Amino acid sequence: LNGNNIMKEFRISNLEFRLLKKKISSLFTIHYSIFNSGFTIIELLVTISLFVVLGLFITQTLATLFTNMGKGEVGSRVRSEGEYVVAVMERHLREARSPVCAASSVTYEDPTGFSTSFSCTGASPTRIASGSADLTTSGVTVSSCSFTCSTSPTRVSVSFTVSQYPASTDPRQTATSNVSTQVTLRNQ
């Protein structure tokens, strides 16, 4: 090998060395910048604060949802109790004869001539009964119960308030339903 060839090889080798050094240096810089790019304490505090606020919002929304769901169930049960009592009374009174109303009861003759009645009975909880059988369950109480009879045409007006029993200590979990109906008798 002569001196020119050695120089050419050295130049090529030197060029290759510089390129290799540049590649290694760039890899190291990228590698170093990946591990060096962290978050500041302010960024971490802001992020944590946002997650706390979001968590509180979601918790409050779920608590409200479950409370309203419970209130809807109680309200539905109370309304269905009132609707059931009214349906039974309407069915029986429509075919009744000779109704006699008192403040909290109505006595009538059924189509077979048997005397029977509907009344609000009991101290606490108050119930609506047909003869000796309760029409309301132990989960409700009745208040403001009244029966009114009128003539021409013969009608019986019934009104009462049905509430859950025992009453909840949480006002958001209470349910009350006002129920009223007017039945015109067919057999007069």
Side-chain angles (χ1 to χ4, degrees):
L1 291 178
N2 66 21
N4 285 337
N5 284 339
I6 291 175
M7 257 335 246
K8 284 182 184 176
E9 271 194 48
F10 177 73
R11 283 186 196 156
I12 292 172
S13 295
N14 193 16
L15 180 61
E16 287 175 353
F17 176 74
R18 279 186 277 155
L19 287 174
L20 185 60
K21 182 179 174 188
K22 191 173 183 180
K23 284 182 182 179
I24 289 173
S25 175
S26 67
L27 286 174
F28 177 74
T29 304
I30 291 172
H31 182 71
Y32 176 75
S33 67
I34 288 174
F35 289 107
N36 196 24
S37 66
F39 298 106
T40 65
I41 192 76
I42 300 297
E43 291 171 330
L44 288 173
L45 287 174
V46 167
T47 304
I48 290 170
S49 299
L50 287 175
F51 279 116
V52 167
V53 168
L54 183 65
L56 289 173
F57 175 74
I58 290 172
T59 302
Q60 185 65 31
T61 302
L62 288 175
T64 303
L65 174 73
F66 290 133
T67 299
N68 289 341
M69 225 169 43
K71 185 173 183 172
E73 290 173 9
V74 170
S76 177
R77 185 171 44 88
V78 167
R79 273 189 307 282
S80 69
E81 286 270 345
E83 290 169 359
Y84 169 74
V85 170
V86 165
V88 169
M89 286 183 173
E90 286 177 343
R91 186 174 60 243
H92 286 272
L93 289 174
R94 191 158 281 121
E95 302 299 324
R97 293 186 209 130
S98 309
V100 176
C101 293
S104 62
S105 67
V106 60
T107 304
Y108 62 94
E109 285 184 14
D110 67 10
T112 63
F114 183 74
S115 180
T116 189
S117 66
F118 290 112
S119 61
C120 299
T121 60
S124 183
T126 304
R127 308 238 186 269
I128 294 183
S130 171
S132 62
D134 287 342
L135 295 178
T136 54
T137 65
S138 61
V140 297
T141 186
V142 176
S143 61
S144 305
C145 183
S146 70
F147 296 89
T148 309
C149 295
S150 61
T151 56
S152 298
T154 305
R155 288 190 182 135
V156 176
S157 299
V158 180
S159 68
F160 58 93
T161 301
V162 62
S163 306
Q164 74 185 52
Y165 184 82
S168 174
T169 57
D170 183 1
R172 295 173 295 180
Q173 293 291 330
T174 59
T176 300
S177 180
N178 295 320
V179 182
S180 64
T181 188
Q182 192 172 53
V183 182
T184 303
L185 280 64
R186 293 182 183 165
N187 295 326
Q188 286 304 312

